Amino acid sequence: MTVLRVSVGVVYCWFGVLKLFPAGSPAEEIAAAAMTKLTGGLLPAAVSMPLLGTAETVIGLALITGLLLRPALILFFAHMAGVFTSLALLPGQMWHHGVPTLEGQYVLKNVILVAACLTVTADELTR
């Protein structure tokens, strides 16, 4: 269980840190577009990317260390809800004739992270 938790944490930290640097993340454009849609344009990319990067890094560090794990898992699932809404909010970028585009596949791969964190959550709740 520790290996699963820490490995997801490392991946989350990696993706989060990349978002802290302009043009550092391959998901920056899609994440910014999704955040713009989710906030009705109230949160510009210059604010949303560092915010997302910080949140992802904090989630990753909590998974790695096991500190504040329960709040981090709540934040993780809230973040994933936002990530998956991009499939509906940005259909032109996520789908081509009903098949996921490269961006859509990038979002859909998060199913693995959700499954891993469901497992970590179940383990944490039995403690």
Side-chain angles (χ1 to χ4, degrees):
M1 192 57 59
T2 302
V3 171
L4 180 64
R5 179 175 50 77
V6 171
S7 63
V8 172
V10 168
V11 168
Y12 237 73
C13 276
W14 183 266
F15 288 157
V17 168
L18 288 177
K19 286 184 181 76
L20 296 175
F21 300 97
S25 170
E28 184 173 332
E29 184 180 315
I30 203 76
M35 285 293 284
T36 299
K37 287 266 190 172
L38 280 169
T39 64
L42 296 176
L43 199 60
V47 175
S48 65
M49 284 306 94
L51 183 65
L52 281 172
T54 300
E56 290 177 10
T57 303
V58 166
I59 292 165
L61 290 172
L63 287 165
I64 290 168
T65 64
L67 299 173
L68 299 172
L69 189 55
R70 289 181 184 204
L73 287 166
I74 291 168
L75 184 56
F76 167 84
F77 288 112
H79 177 253
M80 281 294 117
V83 167
F84 282 106
T85 60
S86 66
L87 294 169
L89 291 175
L90 305 168
Q93 291 170 279
M94 297 291 166
W95 306 98
H96 182 72
H97 301 296
V99 176
T101 61
L102 189 58
E103 291 86 356
Q105 292 173 47
Y106 190 84
V107 170
L108 289 169
K109 63 98 173 86
N110 288 306
V111 168
I112 296 166
L113 295 176
V114 170
C117 281
L118 283 170
T119 303
V120 170
T121 300
D123 181 65
E124 179 65 17
L125 292 175
T126 61
R127 291 180 187 260

